[in-house]
Amino acid sequence: MPRTEHLVGTRALLLAAARDEFAAHGMGGARVGRIAEQAGVSKERIYGYFGSKEKLFAAVISEALTEHATLLGPPSADLAEYAGRIYDLHRRDPHLLRLMMWEALYYDGGLPNEQPRTARYRDMVATLSAALGSESDTESDTESDTEAASTLLALIGLAILPTAFPQITRLILGTAADAPGGDDELRAHIVRLARRMVAPSSDALT
């Protein structure tokens, strides 16, 4: 195998092993030794690639967010179904939510790669603003449409809560969520709620 392909392959193995480790234990509880063992490399190789455990954590989150954004796609005119897509994606792979919850606990203030992440959300807000039929703010590229930004935040919160807090879901719904078809019913309810939430704006699209 050429050296470049070998390096890429090793880095991918490290990121995959680190994603599992960080999702399970967070930044404080994760162990570089376990990550190295899972990836089949030495601990020194991890520091050679990433420099520190904290930088590896940041790389894992960055990769997970990129994959998530690619799979989810941009907001569309059917904003309620967009909430359903967010729900589906996190139910299939809850690792990203766990990573971001650990990130929230670990960092007090600025985040690694905060500027590109902010820019990504700004793009999502702009796309959502167009879907809502809101007028774009042309005075400054750094100002987001407040309604669209708040709507995006609400849609995300509505869609991720059952996966982010399964204990609350269980306490409120009891065995209903675990019954056959329970997940489908919950998704359908989330989509209906999202549709009501954006109805005044989305009605203009039809």
Side-chain angles (χ1 to χ4, degrees), residues 31 75 117 187 195:
R31 294 293 177 263
R117 288 171 65 176
R187 183 197 191 277
R195 202 171 299 285

Side-chain angles (χ1 to χ4, degrees), residues 8 10 26 36 39 44 48 56 77 80 87 107 129 135 138 146 151 191 194 204 206:
V8 171
T10 301
E44 290 73 17
L56 173 58
Y87 175 83
Y107 291 104
S129 180
E135 293 184 0
T138 58
T146 302
T151 300
V191 170
T206 58

Side-chain angles (χ1 to χ4, degrees), residues 166-182:
Q167 76 279 27
I168 295 178
T169 302
R170 179 178 57 81
L171 291 170
I172 293 175
L173 297 181
T175 59
D178 296 326

Side-chain angles (χ1 to χ4, degrees), residues 91 94 97-98 101 105 160-178 186:
R91 296 296 274 184
L97 277 179
R98 292 172 186 161
M101 292 171 78
L105 290 171
I160 70 173
L161 190 143
T163 305
F165 299 101
Q167 76 279 27
I168 295 178
T169 302
R170 179 178 57 81
L171 291 170
I172 293 175
L173 297 181
T175 59
D178 296 326
L186 181 55

Side-chain angles (χ1 to χ4, degrees), residues 93-133:
D93 182 9
H95 272 37
L96 176 60
L97 277 179
R98 292 172 186 161
L99 288 169
M100 296 191 76
M101 292 171 78
W102 284 118
E103 180 188 55
L105 290 171
Y106 182 72
Y107 291 104
D108 183 16
L111 300 171
N113 304 315
E114 183 157 336
Q115 288 185 344
R117 288 171 65 176
T118 300
R120 179 180 295 167
Y121 281 115
R122 189 177 297 127
D123 289 342
M124 292 175 67
V125 167
T127 302
L128 183 56
S129 180
L132 286 168

Side-chain angles (χ1 to χ4, degrees), residues 145-157:
D145 179 89
T146 302
E147 180 185 357
S150 298
T151 300
L152 177 63
L153 186 62
L155 287 172
I156 292 173

